[in-house]
Amino acid sequence: MNKLPGWALPNLKEAQIRTRQEVSIEKNLFAVPAEMRQMGNGKHYYLRTYGCQANERDGETIAGILEKIGFTQCFTPEEADFILLNTCAVRKNAEDKVLGELGALKRLKKTNPDLVFGMCGCMAQEEEIVRILLEKYPHVDLIFGTHNIHRLPVLLYQAMMDKEKTVEVFSKEGEVIENLPVKRFGQHKAWVNIMYGCDKFCTYCIVPYTRGKERSRAMDDILNEIRDLQKEGFQEVTLLGQNVNSYGKDLHLEGGFAKLLEETAKLGIARIRFTTSHPWDFSDDMIDVIARYENIMPFIHLPVQSGDSDMLKIMGRRYTIEQYKELFDKITAKVKGCAFSTDIIVGFPNETEEQFQHTLDIVDYCKFDNAFTFIYSPREGTPAAAMEDNVPMHVKQERLARLNERVNAYAHERNEAYMGKTVRVLIDGPSKKNKDVYCGYTETNKLVNFSLKQGDVGDIVNVRITDIKTWSLNGEQV
Ligand code: 5AD
Ligand code: SF4
């Protein structure tokens, strides 16, 4: 790779280093130099985000920064002066989609030679991807990583005004930056970061390499953000972290996530959700707090990944399937009407038919309301990517199909229990397909389509369920 002076390229080896160094909380790190303050005036940006909620939330920061320097958001790439893809690296098919999109958008440079193409997010943290971009996608002008978002004004200025190809990807543990602008994409539901990064190093997962070390925001900063959201009329917050259960461990904070959850509940916002929880360190205190407060929603995303204890060990998951069941039962017993979703990977290297059967068994046991199921995708730099794999792709595909059939049947069965019941629904807005039908979510995170009699977007109303589908419910307001 031709390295221009000033380029910082990703380095996966450096990205996995974890030191005992204290995380710095930066209250003034984000700053816009004077010459950049109006660089976006009269210009449009088109932002597309892939992947998880953490990435969605990063998208809101990026939009906040761009609007601070004068840009206006547009919703078709044709109108844009700056196109930015905020990407996900968790599986290869997510990456292929982005590379396809980048290729397809290239034509726009013909009609608008000043157009600036940018790529950021988790893919930008990968050595191999940046190499491919530099070699095969010369029309990409700007690449920056998950640790470089606060540098966007400076980086974009270099790419757009100085017309210099710009690559800045830090591979480091990371800090907590508190003074970043934000443009919320939701009107009554908001994402709230409580921590960044991940130290779990599950053997298949790229995230600890792309997002740095586990680091928590100070509790006061989080609670103040939620107070502000309440003042602005937000009804629901989702507390975000790669593993929220670890919240506060790095700060040696007494009470950890259970304490944060309780303090959040006491603020009185109508709905609180959180994601993601690792089954390994889900504490009894957390379960008690969830059970005690009505505004903490009875819905838990609890990724199991596999139903086989040997496989879980190879995946580096730190629990056995018996421990998972025990936790599941404990939550079910204490949190009334709790719904569960999960993540499952099939076709991990050398997975046997018997091990896969154990995965079907845990689905039978938990009868998840929803499950996100994936074929294992090797990620460069992770331990699993170096494992030999004797499972042919057609076997993986066939296992995924069998698993999905089972998952769908239980999703439908769980929904059947709602027939004729009245549920509380937070109104999101008119449904995309039919403007007379409104949609929203129950406390247990079920999508409901219903006829609205009175009320408005952002209200919580009672809806009687009249029909059920596998992935949604139909009803009428009562
Ligand atoms: N291959 C397939 N699925 C993966 N996930 C994470 N890494 C991989 C991978 N390499 C899944 C896990 C995780 C979810 C976000 O994505 O199930 O919980
Ligand atoms: Fe994708 Fe993981 Fe990055 Fe989220 S943290 S965008 S899921 S790779």
Side-chain angles (χ1 to χ4, degrees):
M1 270 183 264
N2 291 330
K3 193 175 162 174
L4 282 176
W7 275 15
L9 295 167
N11 182 311
L12 283 173
K13 275 232 145 36
E14 281 169 23
Q16 60 184 298
I17 295 171
R18 293 295 184 268
T19 67
R20 290 187 167 275
Q21 224 168 328
E22 212 166 295
V23 172
S24 63
I25 297 190
E26 302 285 350
K27 301 250 176 188
N28 303 305
L29 196 60
F30 173 75
V32 185
E35 67 270 32
M36 292 160 205
R37 291 203 182 125
Q38 279 143 28
M39 68 175 282
N41 283 2
K43 293 197 169 76
H44 289 86
Y45 72 96
Y46 174 80
L47 172 68
R48 185 176 294 177
T49 294
Y50 302 77
C52 66
Q53 292 95 337
N55 232 26
E56 284 290 334
R57 179 62 188 76
D58 282 352
E60 295 184 331
T61 298
I62 289 164
I65 295 174
L66 291 173
E67 298 201 2
K68 198 173 183 82
I69 55 177
F71 283 88
T72 307
Q73 189 168 17
C74 64
F75 297 92
T76 59
E78 286 75 15
E79 295 168 83
D81 302 281
F82 176 39
I83 295 181
L84 182 60
L85 304 186
N86 181 25
T87 63
C88 172
V90 83
R91 281 172 296 276
K92 185 164 183 297
N93 53 7
E95 293 180 351
D96 290 345
K97 232 192 269 170
V98 168
L99 293 179
E101 190 69 24
L102 267 183
L105 289 171
K106 187 178 167 184
R107 66 186 156 83
L108 295 177
K109 273 227 166 159
K110 286 212 181 94
T111 42
N112 179 6
D114 290 331
L115 177 63
V116 172
F117 265 110
M119 129 103 75
C120 64
C122 286
M123 273 172 83
Q125 296 291 141
E126 294 183 282
E127 291 173 15
E128 175 70 8
I129 292 290
V130 173
R131 196 180 58 72
I132 292 172
L133 290 177
L134 293 177
E135 270 175 20
K136 301 199 177 134
Y137 296 78
H139 61 293
V140 176
D141 311 285
L142 169 62
I143 302 170
F144 63 97
T146 60
H147 296 293
N148 307 74
I149 293 174
H150 65 287
R151 300 253 309 144
L152 181 54
V154 180
L155 301 174
L156 184 55
Y157 192 88
Q158 190 172 309
M160 190 172 259
M161 303 304 183
D162 299 342
K163 301 207 178 296
E164 212 178 278
K165 196 178 189 84
T166 301
V167 183
E168 191 182 273
V169 181
F170 297 154
S171 296
K172 59 176 188 175
E173 295 185 299
E175 57 275 289
V176 170
I177 306 175
E178 282 299 343
N179 70 327
L180 291 166
V182 53
K183 177 190 183 184
R184 306 266 175 199
F185 294 146
Q187 265 112 54
H188 53 275
K189 301 200 284 196
W191 310 111
V192 176
N193 285 319
I194 66 166
M195 57 195 301
Y196 306 96
C198 181
D199 287 347
K200 294 293 174 292
F201 289 97
C202 299
T203 55
Y204 49 81
C205 189
I206 192 77
V207 177
Y209 308 76
T210 63
R211 287 191 169 266
K213 97 162 157 191
E214 234 163 60
R215 50 208 195 275
S216 304
R217 292 179 69 197
M219 193 177 300
D220 279 346
D221 290 330
I222 299 168
L223 295 175
N224 284 335
E225 181 176 339
I226 298 171
R227 280 190 196 100
D228 288 345
L229 289 166
Q230 272 179 290
K231 280 186 213 138
E232 289 166 39
F234 282 83
Q235 293 274 55
E236 178 177 305
V237 289
T238 301
L239 309 180
L240 290 183
Q242 298 303 333
N243 173 25
V244 293
N245 308 4
S246 292
Y247 173 75
K249 285 183 189 170
D250 55 323
L251 304 174
H252 310 290
L253 194 87
E254 213 170 302
F257 184 58
K259 167 111 172 119
L260 173 66
L261 205 47
E262 179 153 32
E263 293 302 319
T264 305
K266 282 189 198 156
L267 296 178
I269 192 156
R271 288 184 165 196
I272 298 157
R273 301 185 188 277
F274 55 90
T275 197
T276 296
S277 279
H278 192 301
W280 169 69
D281 56 356
F282 205 114
S283 70
D284 287 352
D285 285 350
M286 277 170 58
I287 303 176
D288 288 339
V289 172
I290 298 164
R292 204 169 333 127
Y293 288 90
E294 285 208 335
N295 55 348
I296 303 177
M297 296 298 101
F299 170 76
I300 294 171
H301 183 59
L302 198 64
V304 66
Q305 312 298 1
S306 164
D308 184 87
S309 293
D310 291 337
M311 185 53 85
L312 288 168
K313 192 155 193 193
I314 300 168
M315 288 176 160
R317 290 294 288 173
R318 310 174 187 213
Y319 54 85
T320 63
I321 202 62
E322 287 70 33
Q323 287 166 329
Y324 184 91
K325 283 181 180 169
E326 203 180 303
L327 173 65
F328 179 88
D329 289 342
K330 215 164 15 174
I331 299 172
T332 305
K334 286 199 172 164
V335 183
K336 232 176 45 187
C338 192
F340 291 87
S341 64
T342 197
D343 292 339
I344 299 171
I345 297 174
V346 300
F348 194 81
N350 311 313
E351 181 190 57
T352 64
E353 174 61 26
E354 192 188 353
Q355 288 175 321
F356 172 67
Q357 285 294 334
H358 292 158
T359 294
L360 294 179
D361 292 343
I362 192 69
V363 172
D364 286 340
Y365 188 88
C366 297
K367 301 180 167 55
F368 296 107
D369 291 80
N370 194 1
F372 302 92
T373 57
F374 313 104
I375 289 179
Y376 165 71
S377 170
R379 305 286 66 210
E380 196 191 76
T382 62
M387 295 177 193
E388 260 184 60
D389 184 3
N390 64 11
V391 190
M393 188 41 99
H394 70 92
V395 173
K396 296 181 195 238
Q397 281 163 343
E398 177 264 340
R399 283 181 191 163
L400 182 69
R402 273 195 284 161
L403 174 64
N404 284 344
E405 202 179 309
R406 192 79 58 109
V407 160
N408 295 358
Y410 287 120
H412 198 273
E413 186 181 314
R414 287 283 185 189
N415 280 356
E416 279 165 18
Y418 284 76
M419 192 66 194
K421 296 240 169 75
T422 297
V423 289
R424 308 273 293 152
V425 175
L426 172 55
I427 307 176
D428 272 345
S431 99
K432 283 195 192 102
K433 286 185 212 141
N434 182 347
K435 293 276 165 276
D436 297 327
V437 174
Y438 276 69
C439 61
Y441 284 83
T442 67
E443 299 192 331
T444 51
N445 212 32
K446 304 269 177 198
L447 174 63
V448 185
N449 292 300
F450 63 101
S451 53
L452 182 73
K453 289 185 179 141
Q454 74 187 111
D456 208 344
V457 174
D459 290 345
I460 296 175
V461 295
N462 289 323
V463 174
R464 201 174 66 84
I465 302 305
T466 53
D467 192 15
I468 61 150
K469 307 227 151 52
T470 302
W471 302 118
S472 64
L473 309 168
N474 291 343
E476 53 193 28
Q477 191 183 354
V478 290

XYZ file of all heavy atoms in Angstrom, residues 49-56 58 86-91 94 121-123 146 205-208 210-211 242, ligand 2:
205
model
N -26.164 3.378 7.312
C -25.568 2.616 8.419
C -25.977 1.151 8.334
O -27.139 0.839 8.083
C -26.013 3.222 9.766
O -25.463 4.535 9.882
C -25.533 2.389 10.939
N -25.019 0.273 8.548
C -25.251 -1.178 8.569
C -24.971 -1.676 9.990
O -24.234 -1.029 10.736
C -24.299 -1.890 7.612
C -24.395 -1.425 6.180
C -23.818 -0.229 5.771
C -25.078 -2.175 5.220
C -23.909 0.215 4.464
C -25.175 -1.745 3.906
C -24.584 -0.550 3.535
O -24.676 -0.117 2.238
N -25.516 -2.868 10.321
C -25.078 -3.525 11.559
C -25.908 -3.227 12.785
O -27.106 -2.979 12.706
N -25.229 -3.213 13.918
C -25.905 -3.253 15.219
C -26.348 -1.866 15.686
O -26.077 -0.850 15.043
C -24.966 -3.846 16.254
S -23.533 -2.798 16.569
N -26.963 -1.838 16.853
C -27.445 -0.567 17.415
C -26.311 0.372 17.755
O -26.471 1.588 17.696
C -28.285 -0.823 18.669
C -29.606 -1.519 18.409
C -29.493 -3.017 18.587
O -28.416 -3.585 18.497
N -30.613 -3.657 18.843
N -25.148 -0.181 18.155
C -23.999 0.684 18.461
C -23.614 1.475 17.214
O -23.275 2.661 17.283
C -22.816 -0.155 18.942
N -23.711 0.817 16.077
C -23.394 1.486 14.829
C -24.456 2.523 14.465
O -24.140 3.595 13.983
C -23.277 0.445 13.714
C -21.986 0.582 12.952
O -21.002 1.073 13.486
N -22.000 0.164 11.700
N -25.732 2.174 14.713
C -26.824 3.128 14.500
C -26.574 4.385 15.330
O -26.717 5.511 14.848
C -28.169 2.525 14.934
C -28.753 1.504 13.977
C -29.235 2.128 12.680
O -29.573 3.319 12.682
O -29.237 1.420 11.653
N -23.701 5.429 16.483
C -22.567 6.152 15.886
C -23.049 7.002 14.716
O -22.568 8.117 14.507
C -21.495 5.172 15.374
C -20.632 4.610 16.488
O -20.754 5.090 17.633
O -19.836 3.693 16.211
N -21.436 3.675 6.799
C -21.024 3.346 8.175
C -21.244 1.844 8.341
O -22.376 1.388 8.428
C -21.898 4.175 9.137
C -21.562 3.934 10.580
O -20.451 3.537 10.912
N -22.528 4.172 11.459
N -20.165 1.089 8.349
C -20.247 -0.336 8.019
C -20.126 -1.296 9.202
O -19.692 -0.912 10.285
C -19.098 -0.685 7.051
O -17.869 -0.449 7.756
C -19.154 0.160 5.802
N -20.470 -2.555 8.943
C -20.416 -3.631 9.938
C -19.486 -4.731 9.437
O -19.479 -5.052 8.257
C -21.820 -4.199 10.126
S -21.877 -5.675 11.146
N -18.721 -5.315 10.374
C -17.737 -6.323 9.978
C -18.042 -7.698 10.555
O -17.240 -8.615 10.444
C -16.354 -5.875 10.455
N -19.219 -7.856 11.141
C -19.444 -9.051 11.956
C -19.519 -10.336 11.125
O -19.125 -11.391 11.572
C -20.661 -8.828 12.888
C -21.977 -9.092 12.208
C -20.526 -9.627 14.154
N -20.005 -10.216 9.880
C -20.025 -11.374 8.977
C -19.657 -10.930 7.571
O -19.851 -9.785 7.196
C -21.428 -12.017 8.944
C -21.729 -12.910 10.140
C -23.175 -13.337 10.145
N -24.036 -12.182 10.308
C -24.342 -11.639 11.475
N -23.895 -12.175 12.589
N -25.117 -10.572 11.559
N -22.308 -9.185 5.298
C -22.533 -7.752 5.559
C -21.494 -6.930 4.793
O -21.797 -5.876 4.228
C -22.452 -7.461 7.048
N -16.786 2.971 10.271
C -17.384 1.849 10.994
C -16.432 0.679 11.115
O -15.220 0.797 10.898
N -16.987 -0.482 11.430
C -16.162 -1.637 11.802
C -15.328 -2.184 10.646
O -14.219 -2.674 10.853
C -17.037 -2.717 12.413
S -17.564 -2.291 14.085
N -15.845 -2.100 9.402
C -15.042 -2.600 8.268
C -13.761 -1.798 8.099
O -12.732 -2.343 7.679
C -15.845 -2.530 6.973
C -16.697 -3.749 6.716
S -17.770 -3.494 5.298
C -16.674 -3.874 3.935
N -13.598 3.493 13.911
C -14.558 3.721 15.007
C -13.968 4.614 16.102
O -14.711 5.208 16.872
C -14.992 2.391 15.645
O -13.816 1.735 16.158
C -15.653 1.466 14.656
N -15.393 -13.812 17.008
C -15.928 -12.454 16.902
C -14.872 -11.379 16.654
O -13.842 -11.320 17.310
C -16.711 -12.119 18.157
S -17.622 -10.568 17.988
N -15.179 -10.491 15.746
C -14.261 -9.424 15.341
C -14.404 -8.176 16.223
O -13.515 -7.319 16.259
C -14.514 -9.075 13.839
C -13.422 -8.180 13.246
C -15.865 -8.421 13.629
C -12.160 -8.871 12.900
N -15.531 -8.095 16.938
C -15.851 -6.841 17.645
C -14.760 -6.350 18.612
O -14.434 -5.161 18.626
C -17.212 -6.947 18.365
C -17.507 -5.683 19.165
C -18.308 -7.161 17.337
N -14.145 -7.236 19.422
C -13.096 -6.727 20.318
C -11.931 -6.081 19.562
O -11.206 -5.268 20.125
C -12.625 -7.989 21.055
C -13.787 -8.929 20.984
C -14.423 -8.662 19.646
N -12.457 -4.409 16.559
C -12.912 -3.214 15.834
C -13.348 -2.082 16.760
O -13.447 -0.938 16.326
C -14.109 -3.523 14.895
O -15.222 -3.950 15.678
C -13.755 -4.582 13.877
N -13.624 -2.429 18.033
C -14.203 -1.387 18.892
C -13.444 -1.147 20.191
O -13.922 -0.450 21.086
C -15.675 -1.696 19.167
C -16.503 -1.435 17.928
C -17.978 -1.466 18.160
N -18.675 -0.953 16.997
C -19.062 0.312 16.865
N -18.848 1.194 17.804
N -19.694 0.686 15.770
N -21.744 -3.586 24.168
C -21.542 -4.932 23.609
C -21.882 -5.976 24.657
O -22.384 -7.045 24.355
C -20.109 -5.131 23.100
C -19.717 -4.184 21.969
C -20.644 -4.268 20.775
O -21.255 -5.301 20.524
N -20.768 -3.189 20.038
Fe -21.177 -5.013 13.329
Fe -20.185 -5.729 15.651
Fe -19.342 -3.497 14.568
Fe -21.839 -3.674 15.535
S -19.922 -3.806 16.704
S -21.243 -2.805 13.599
S -22.341 -5.830 15.028
S -19.050 -5.582 13.800
